[in-house]
């Protein structure tokens, strides 16, 4: 299989000096520091094919950013190997970064005091973009990200949503084949989020750009990613298509039934009652063993049903489930 | 090779233009600088005059020679501040993850660090330097021959490189210690003392230190001693000091570049 990113047994070790409290503790840890090793990233392997949009998710401190920084050549791994477009970012950083676009949602690469367009001109020279290609590319980016309203405004006067669009355009000017987006929608309003998601879909569809997205906004993941990689405590805990991960993690579905009069026997062999409020009953059932319609049919034979609804588990439930079960080391 | 140089020159000139534009955004800041810097340096030379007038020449260096020495040191400081001021903030960049962006671009990191900010306000530092130097050269009887002018240019380049190497090496310590802000202040004081007064008035140990270990004596003291035939404290080297300064400068700069590269491997970025 063709891959753009290939990661094998990636480990990043940090040394932490354990501090004790009080002055005595401070002096003690100064003279005899208790150093403990801690693996921020602990043996992660995966590979990503060209044109995928992958959600790289995990709770705070799970090792997401550390992994991204190793993939982009900012940090050196303690052990393990990384290949981006067939090249190790540690061995030939300059060759790798030419093919990458990177956006850190919390930090900008634009010059605060200058017009947005001036930061672009600098990038044009840094990446040695041919003038014709630059003009064409900028025209497309301007169109899709609607930059024309503020391309001549100093960056410090832009709204967060505008600045983020500017940052994404800056990362795409040199037509990278892989785009890393670290929390690109953090703090944005619904409109700006929508614009950015559309843009990601667009460049993925038209240019086949591979996108690796870290985010805490699971709507991003649900709308964009065909595949998610979940990390926690430096370890990879799930990797696969969203649908199957949800299915695997939350095999239950809920059937909410509302009766028009009280009934005596609510039990059924196919599902369990997990909650009851007046005339409303929540049944939990395994979607493997019985379909919703079969269950409804079975229940409607014995119960006076007025209303009925089926609840699908969503990504958020699934992810919370993962974080919970993998929280302890 | 040629295309690489072209690439770097084109990026550096673009950065220089942007830096000028950025600084012009805050004209009042520029104005306050224009006011403060000359006061600082002219009062420095005034102190020297008082010391020499009231007491005695410093180790055989009279006031005109001291003025020449002081002026030479100031000019190289001024030019250094224009082109290398970012070496003063390596520690900030280590702490707040400022190197992340530089590492993401397909260019040399040290080049980006230095070239990304041309502090043209620093030219103001050069104005009193040039005035004091020209005055010193006049009263000390500096011989303005073509050879001497050529040597002077080499000395200035060497001096700037020595300063850049010093601050780069000190800044690199931050890759391990994370914080070393006071180092910049310390080094500035050390540089001022060693470039503005004749090195020969210090104890032997300090002379050796500032000649062989941290060779800041080559920034202004040794070349000035040669230009003016003044006492160089007994150091005797083949060829002229004016040729040693650029050589020492280039060597120091290359070593500092190596140290910086080594330090970068230890870079840990910042959270989030």
């Amino acid at each position: 299989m063709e891959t753009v990113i290939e990661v094998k047994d990636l480990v990043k070790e940090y040394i932490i000096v354990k501090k004790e409290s009080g002055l005595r503790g401070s002096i003690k840890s100064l003279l005899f520091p208790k150093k403990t090793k801690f693996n921020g990233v602990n043996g992660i392997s995966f590979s990503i094919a060209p044109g995928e949009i992958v959600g790289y998710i995990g709770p705070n401190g799970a090792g997401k950013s550390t992994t991204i920084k190793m993939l982009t050549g900012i940090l050196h791994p303690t052990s393990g190997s990384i290949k981006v477009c067939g090249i190790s970012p540690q061995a030939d950083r300059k060759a790798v970064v030419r093919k990458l676009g990177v956006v850190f949602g919390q930090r900008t690469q634009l010059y605060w005091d200058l017009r947005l367009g001036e930061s672009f001109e600098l990038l044009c020279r840094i990446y040695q973009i041919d003038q014709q290609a630059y003009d064409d590319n900028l025209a497309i980016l301007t169109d899709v990200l609607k930059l024309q309203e503020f391309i001549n405004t100093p960056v410090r006067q832009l709204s967060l949503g505008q600045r983020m669009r500017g940052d994404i355009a800056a990362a795409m000017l040199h037509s990278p084949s892989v785009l890393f987006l670290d929390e690109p929608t953090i703090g944005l309003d619904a409109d700006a989020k929508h614009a950015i998601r559309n843009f990601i879909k667009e460049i993925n569809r038209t240019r086949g750009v591979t996108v690796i997205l870290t985010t805490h906004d699971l709507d991003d993941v649900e709308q964009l990613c065909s595949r998610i990689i979940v990390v926690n405590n430096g370890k990879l805990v799930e990797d696969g298509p969203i649908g199957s991960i949800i299915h695997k993690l939350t095999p239950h579905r809920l059937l909410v039934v509302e009766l028009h009069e009280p009934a005596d026997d609510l039990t059924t062999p196919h599902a369990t009652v997990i909650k009851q409020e007046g005339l409303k009953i929540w049944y939990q059932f395994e979607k493997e063993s019985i379909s919703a319609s079969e269950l409804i049919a079975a229940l409607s034979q014995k119960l006076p049903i007025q209303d009925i609804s089926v609840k699908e588990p969503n990504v958020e439930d699934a992810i919370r489930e993962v974080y919970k079960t993998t929280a302890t080391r | 090779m040629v295309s690489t140089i072209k690439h770097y020159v084109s990026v550096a000139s673009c950065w220089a233009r942007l830096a000028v534009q950025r600084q012009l955004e805050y004209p009042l800041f520029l104005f306050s600088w224009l006011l403060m810097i000359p006061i600082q340096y002219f009062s420095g030379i005034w102190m020297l005059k008082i010391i020499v007038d009231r007491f005695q020449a410093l180790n055989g260096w009279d006031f005109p020679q001291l003025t020449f020495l002081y002026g030479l040191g100031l000019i190289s400081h001024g030019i250094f501040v224009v082109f290398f001021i970012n070496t003063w903030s390596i520690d900030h960049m280590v702490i707040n993850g400022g190197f992340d962006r530089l590492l993401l671009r397909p260019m040399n990191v040290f080049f980006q660090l230095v070239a990304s900010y041309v502090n043209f306000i620093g030219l103001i530092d050069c104005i009193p330097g040039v005035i004091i130097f020209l005055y010193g050269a006049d009263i000390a009887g500096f011989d303005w021959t073509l050879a001497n002018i050529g040597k002077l240019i080499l000395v200035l380049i060497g001096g700037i490189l020595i300063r850049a190497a010093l601050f780069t090496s000190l800044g690199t310590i931050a890759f391990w210690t994370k914080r070393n802000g006071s180092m910049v202040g310390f080094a500035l004081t050390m540089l001022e003392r060693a470039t503005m007064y004749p090195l020969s008035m210090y104890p032997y140990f300090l002379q050796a230190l500032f000649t062989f270990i941290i060779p800041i004596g080559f920034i202004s003291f040794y070349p000035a001693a040669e230009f003016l035939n003044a006492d160089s404290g007994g150091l005797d080297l083949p060829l002229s000091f004016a040729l040693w300064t650029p050589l020492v400068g280039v060597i120091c700069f290359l070593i500092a570049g190596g140290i910086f590269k080594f330090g970068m491997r230890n870079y840990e970025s910042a959270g989030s």
Side-chain angles (χ1 to χ4, degrees), chain B residues 45 66-76 128-130 132-134:
Chain B
I45 192 76
L66 287 172
T67 309
F68 182 90
L69 172 68
Y70 188 48
L72 185 59
L74 276 188
I75 295 176
S76 79
V130 170
I132 291 171
F133 178 76
L134 290 178

Side-chain angles (χ1 to χ4, degrees), chain B residues 25-270:
Chain B
E25 286 283 311
Y26 305 98
L28 277 178
F29 175 67
L30 191 76
F31 180 72
S32 64
W33 219 238
L34 197 60
L35 217 61
M36 294 311 296
I37 292 288
I39 294 177
Q40 185 191 344
Y41 294 133
F42 286 123
S43 63
I45 192 76
W46 201 251
M47 275 302 296
L48 262 179
K49 185 160 175 55
I50 292 172
I51 293 171
V52 177
D53 280 357
R54 297 282 162 85
F55 304 100
Q56 54 182 344
L58 294 172
N59 263 56
W61 285 64
D62 57 15
F63 179 72
Q65 291 172 327
L66 287 172
T67 309
F68 182 90
L69 172 68
Y70 188 48
L72 185 59
L74 276 188
I75 295 176
S76 79
H77 171 77
I79 302 176
F80 162 81
V81 165
V82 173
F83 292 106
F84 290 99
I85 197 155
N86 266 3
T87 56
W88 288 359
S89 45
I90 292 176
D91 67 325
H92 286 135
M93 295 184 65
V94 169
I95 287 191
N96 64 27
F99 281 106
D100 288 10
R101 190 44 73 178
L102 306 191
L103 282 162
L104 289 173
R105 291 173 174 162
M107 297 189 92
N108 179 285
V109 175
F110 185 70
F111 165 80
Q112 293 186 68
L113 170 75
V114 169
S116 59
Y117 196 69
V118 175
N119 170 38
F120 91 110
I121 293 181
L123 286 173
I124 298 171
D125 284 53
C126 293
I127 299 170
V130 170
I131 296 173
I132 291 171
F133 178 76
L134 290 178
Y135 174 62
D138 185 46
I139 56 178
F142 176 70
D143 205 3
W144 287 97
T145 61
L146 216 55
N148 268 354
I149 292 172
K151 279 182 181 174
L152 197 61
I153 291 169
L154 284 178
V155 164
L156 282 176
I157 293 172
I160 293 160
L161 289 178
I162 294 172
R163 287 175 190 270
L166 176 67
F167 283 108
T168 304
S169 310
L170 286 177
T172 305
I173 296 174
F175 285 113
W176 290 276
T177 60
K178 308 285 177 263
R179 207 174 268 282
N180 70 344
S182 58
M183 283 297 211
V184 169
F186 158 75
L188 276 173
T189 313
M190 181 175 76
L191 274 169
E192 196 184 56
R193 297 207 174 130
T195 56
M196 144 177 187
Y197 303 110
L199 205 57
S200 52
M201 72 180 209
Y202 290 106
Y204 180 73
F205 161 73
L206 283 179
Q207 288 186 42
L209 178 73
F210 289 145
T211 303
F212 299 109
I213 313 292
I214 313 170
I216 50 187
F218 287 97
I219 296 175
S220 61
F221 173 66
Y222 290 121
E226 177 179 296
F227 285 134
L228 304 177
N229 283 319
D231 172 28
S232 68
L235 182 74
D236 201 10
L237 292 171
L239 297 172
S240 88
F241 285 131
L243 295 177
W244 277 95
T245 297
L247 184 68
V248 170
V250 168
I251 293 172
C252 288
F253 193 70
L254 290 178
I255 293 174
I259 296 175
F260 181 80
K261 211 171 171 185
F262 184 65
M264 273 316 296
R265 288 190 63 91
N266 242 40
Y267 177 59
E268 282 183 357
S269 184

Side-chain angles (χ1 to χ4, degrees), chain A residues 69 93 109 111 113 118 125, chain B residues 10 15 21 26 103 270:
Chain A
K69 283 174 182 166
R93 180 184 66 82
Q109 67 160 321
Y111 282 107
D113 296 324
E118 275 161 333
R125 294 200 187 194
Chain B
S10 123
W15 253 325
Q21 278 176 272
Y26 305 98
L103 282 162

Side-chain angles (χ1 to χ4, degrees), chain A residues 12 14-15 65-66 69 72-76 90 93-95 97-98 100 102-104 106-109 111-115 118-119 121-123 125-128 154 156 167 171 182-183, chain B residues 3-4 6-15 17-19 21-23 25-26 96-109 112 116 264-272:
Chain A
K12 178 73 185 174
Y14 288 105
I15 291 174
S65 288
T66 308
K69 283 174 182 166
T72 50
I74 294 174
L75 294 178
H76 287 254
Q90 278 68 42
R93 180 184 66 82
K94 287 180 203 165
V97 295
R98 265 182 196 286
L100 306 183
V102 184
V103 176
F104 293 115
Q106 320 234 41
R107 273 191 236 150
T108 180
Q109 67 160 321
Y111 282 107
W112 212 235
D113 296 324
L114 299 175
R115 297 184 299 112
E118 275 161 333
S119 291
E121 285 162 32
L122 174 71
L123 290 169
R125 294 200 187 194
I126 286 180
Y127 288 98
Q128 296 170 285
R156 62 167 185 269
D167 254 311
D182 194 0
E183 307 201 27
Chain B
S3 73
T4 308
K6 252 190 182 161
H7 176 207
Y8 277 71
V9 168
S10 123
V11 171
S13 61
C14 184
W15 253 325
R17 181 170 59 80
L18 296 184
Q21 278 176 272
R22 283 160 72 195
Q23 289 166 75
E25 286 283 311
Y26 305 98
N96 64 27
F99 281 106
D100 288 10
R101 190 44 73 178
L102 306 191
L103 282 162
L104 289 173
R105 291 173 174 162
M107 297 189 92
N108 179 285
V109 175
Q112 293 186 68
S116 59
M264 273 316 296
R265 288 190 63 91
N266 242 40
Y267 177 59
E268 282 183 357
S269 184
S272 96

